[in-house]
Amino acid sequence: APYARDIPLSDELQQFTYEAAEKYGVNYDLMLAIMQTESQFKNVVSDNGEDIGICQINVINAEWLYTDYGIYNLMDERQNIEACAIILSKLQGQFDSENHVVMAYNLGASKAEKYISSGKITEYTNKVLTAKEVIEKWKY
């Protein structure tokens, strides 16, 4: 299967993630790299309670995700994964490179803009893009 990767995520959730990536026009392996970096593929809430689920969606996004997409439970793995795909898709419309999209996923668009204009790249961005390269090689 095109979505099969040797990662600690069920085949069912890998397939769901692949389909969400296709639906929203985002890179599948990038989504997996975000999951790995954010939560090690675990459905958890951050210590401060502000980042939720396998993709660590920040609660600041909850209202518009519910209003615009009907996503109401960020602890539901499928809704969390779909939220990630939606956010990445929106960021791809705002930023012209994968580096900048990843940075904005982590910092929010306005903070990312400041980093970008100063020519900086975050450690988070490097971590995610390195993870993506590795995950791409784990096809089976």
Side-chain angles (χ1 to χ4, degrees):
Y3 58 81
R5 302 290 184 275
D6 187 16
I7 55 174
L9 190 66
S10 71
D11 283 351
E12 184 183 77
L13 281 179
Q14 285 188 49
Q15 182 176 1
F16 182 83
T17 304
Y18 183 81
E19 289 167 358
E22 293 283 299
K23 178 179 177 182
Y24 293 101
V26 300
N27 184 286
Y28 170 61
D29 290 307
L30 178 62
M31 287 186 65
L32 296 178
I34 285 171
M35 288 178 200
Q36 179 180 310
T37 304
E38 291 285 358
S39 71
Q40 299 299 307
F41 301 102
K42 292 181 178 83
N43 198 28
V44 294
V45 176
S46 66
D47 291 342
N48 66 9
E50 292 184 6
D51 300 301
I52 299 173
I54 195 166
C55 301
Q56 293 290 282
I57 305 298
N58 191 281
V59 294
I60 200 167
N61 297 296
E63 190 176 333
W64 69 265
L65 284 166
Y66 174 71
T67 304
D68 297 353
Y69 295 92
I71 291 173
Y72 61 90
N73 180 2
L74 291 172
M75 279 305 290
D76 176 281
E77 289 171 317
R78 290 171 177 260
Q79 290 185 48
N80 193 279
I81 289 165
E82 184 162 4
C84 177
I86 290 165
I87 292 167
L88 288 172
S89 176
K90 286 186 171 299
L91 293 171
Q92 282 177 179
Q94 276 181 271
F95 295 92
D96 57 359
S97 79
E98 192 171 57
N99 283 350
H100 297 164
V101 167
V102 171
M103 200 182 308
Y105 183 86
N106 179 239
L107 298 174
S110 58
K111 260 192 200 163
E113 296 273 4
K114 289 177 185 152
Y115 265 86
I116 294 163
S117 62
S118 71
K120 292 179 189 163
I121 233 179
T122 61
E123 186 57 38
Y124 174 88
T125 304
N126 290 330
K127 236 174 148 172
V128 169
L129 296 179
T130 300
K132 178 184 171 232
E133 285 177 26
V134 171
I135 289 168
E136 285 171 338
K137 295 174 184 156
W138 287 346
K139 295 176 182 175
Y140 62 84

